[in-house]
Amino acid sequence: MLDDRKLAVLRAIVEDYVSTNEPVGSRALADKHNLGVSPATIRNDMAALEEQGYITQPHTSAGRVPTDKGYRLFVDRLSQIKPLSVAERRAIETFLGGAVDLDDVVMRTVRLLAQLTRQVAVVQYPSLTRSAVRHVELVRVTDRRVMLVLITNTGRVEQRTVELPDSVAEDTVAHLRAVLNACLDGCRLTDVPATVGDLPDRLPAEERPVAATILSVLLETLVEKHEEKIVFAGAANLAAVDFSVGLRDVLEALEEQVVLMRLLGETSESSALHVRIGSENPYGLRGTSVVAAGYGSGDKELARLGVLGPTRMDYPVTMRAVRAVARYVGQILAGS
Amino acid sequence: MLDDRKLAVLRAIVEDYVSTNEPVGSRALADKHNLGVSPATIRNDMAALEEQGYITQPHTSAGRVPTDKGYRLFVDRLSQIKPLSVAERRAIETFLGGAVDLDDVVMRTVRLLAQLTRQVAVVQYPSLTRSAVRHVELVRVTDRRVMLVLITNTGRVEQRTVELPDSVAEDTVAHLRAVLNACLDGCRLTDVPATVGDLPDRLPAEERPVAATILSVLLETLVEKHEEKIVFAGAANLAAVDFSVGLRDVLEALEEQVVLMRLLGETSESSALHVRIGSENPYGLRGTSVVAAGYGSGDKELARLGVLGPTRMDYPVTMRAVRAVARYVGQILAGS
DNA sequence: ACTTGGCACTCAGAGACGTCGAGTGCCAAG
DNA sequence: CTTGGCACTCGACGTCTCTGAGTGCCAAGT
């Protein structure tokens, strides 16, 4: 049904259209890409490709443009992701290597990705769900106020002020701190509720009300922060392209955490690259593609990152950048 | 030179242009705003206003449009900021009141501001420079690694991992923690370097190397974080207006911390509202105005926030929203 | 059976042209 | 100083034509 030449034609159309942003005709194709056949032959192939829905023409007698289905075929079978050049790899390493804390890592990552791909980059903070407690800190601020700081093994720091029902002594706070750390150290966040469930019962009676209050705030924090934090960068790159869909929609999507989450894709099994093209996306963001990947330290996926751009983006380059950055961020997180 | 009626005409022109986004002619003016004079008279006034540079016409025989100078006069002398309605105040209080930590406060603030003004909102994190130490925490992670957590009285939390030259005992860490907090509690961040300068000398000899390392990281953190963090929201609102200047420039500015800082204005003496119109802005963002204000707890200004939009924005409404939000955030921060 | 050149056809885009009307500036009268 | 009248300007809009890129189809060639 689709012999090799037809595939070659499709590939040529995609590549040409991506670089010129203009419908590509049979004449131009025969000229630039030396396919060894005449325009007329190419026209026949094009007719076949169009019939099967891989390409389409904006109006009669204009060139052809790939459809979402065409891009899909291109991504799946016609493109291969070249490895990064040494220089690029260097750039990534230097830029990300300078990060000092988690915020910094995420910030640098999203900017780097935006710059490499010249598109909008999106990075999700490492999920609390999959990380573990590194340390819990209690700080007595006044006699009825304690600050609770939770540090995870991914470097994330959550912090809350707790209003206490009673005044509390420094000793009590110190004791609670010790107890909490003793039983929570290394505990996965998902297991925290179970682990601390009966904790008040094991404490002296006078500490119980305070402990209960603190614990409830702690659990609350865990629940709240399940809604993941997401940042983006490179919105200016949107202005360069004129989206078929209003870029207003895209900008709106970018500011909606929930939408962004769904665009990055439900956390997938593997950390493989995931490409969603045009209408394959939720929320009917027509004309927009998403290239996403999971990242994490070691083998478990902590969160996702990706790039959002027009369907007519340079997939090989984008995919390679996303994959490289995802891998490297994983290493950084594992190392710190 | 500018009698009352000419001012009234200018005001009418600004208001009309803001609401319609079309050059306004003498006829329309005479109709809608009952100025009690004929179009011809208005034309004369317009000619005078144009001569003095307050308005201009895009092309011969189109209506008039305010110039930057015209908006300036309008803002300074012709508009008055109405107080918020009770409902609006309620909305602000409820929305901001629900914030749980500093990140949350800032995030909610910027979104609220974007929504109230239907423009791009920008909020700077409370400056470390002007805040004070609430608590320093040292956590021994391994025997050669300590985590340093710095909590300020504005609720900001900075955190760093410190690699030690020697292994260190839990007791030493505890001692250092106590000493650090004893001498730094309540200390303004700007005074920290001076305060801890001779601290190693006052310690037992065996603790000095560790203390020196930790202190150097602490000081480093202070320096780094002087570069302030800024967030924005409401970029989608940009798409609604068509900027005279490419909105690409605006988007780019939004992602450049340094540029944003300058746009919000060098931290001003008072917390008063500050309006920069079109060409008054740095970086030649023509067609763009900035309405900014300082906010803080009590009387000292901690940071700035504001709104960025087309010069033809509704200044009274915008100014009132910015002022109200700035005040309210100040209260929130003071209270927590 | 596929490829190729030829040819008629289609249609978006650019330019030329005319019309319309909003808005102006000026002037003379009130 | 204000006002109505009037001639003038010029962008916006619609119509028309022309051009050229690109197509589909067909008959001839390999």
Side-chain angles (χ1 to χ4, degrees), chain A residues 5 38 41 43 59-61:
Chain A
R5 198 188 55 217
S38 81
T41 310
R43 279 205 286 282
H59 19 262
T60 327
S61 137

Side-chain angles (χ1 to χ4, degrees), chain B residues 1-11 44-45 48-49:
Chain B
M1 210 95 180
L2 285 183
D3 56 25
D4 282 356
R5 199 188 54 217
K6 290 199 182 64
L7 290 178
V9 169
L10 177 56
R11 163 194 275 135
N44 290 332
D45 291 347
L49 285 169

Side-chain angles (χ1 to χ4, degrees), chain A residues 188-233:
Chain A
R188 300 191 58 193
L189 293 198
T190 41
D191 302 335
V192 168
T195 312
V196 299
D198 63 339
L199 200 137
D201 302 338
R202 309 202 311 260
L203 291 173
E206 69 273 19
E207 291 186 2
R208 281 181 204 162
V210 174
T213 310
I214 292 177
L215 283 181
S216 77
V217 172
L218 174 62
L219 295 180
E220 201 175 279
T221 307
L222 292 180
V223 172
E224 267 168 14
K225 290 296 169 158
H226 272 200
E227 34 150 318
E228 313 293 350
K229 199 173 158 192
I230 293 193
V231 295
F232 69 94

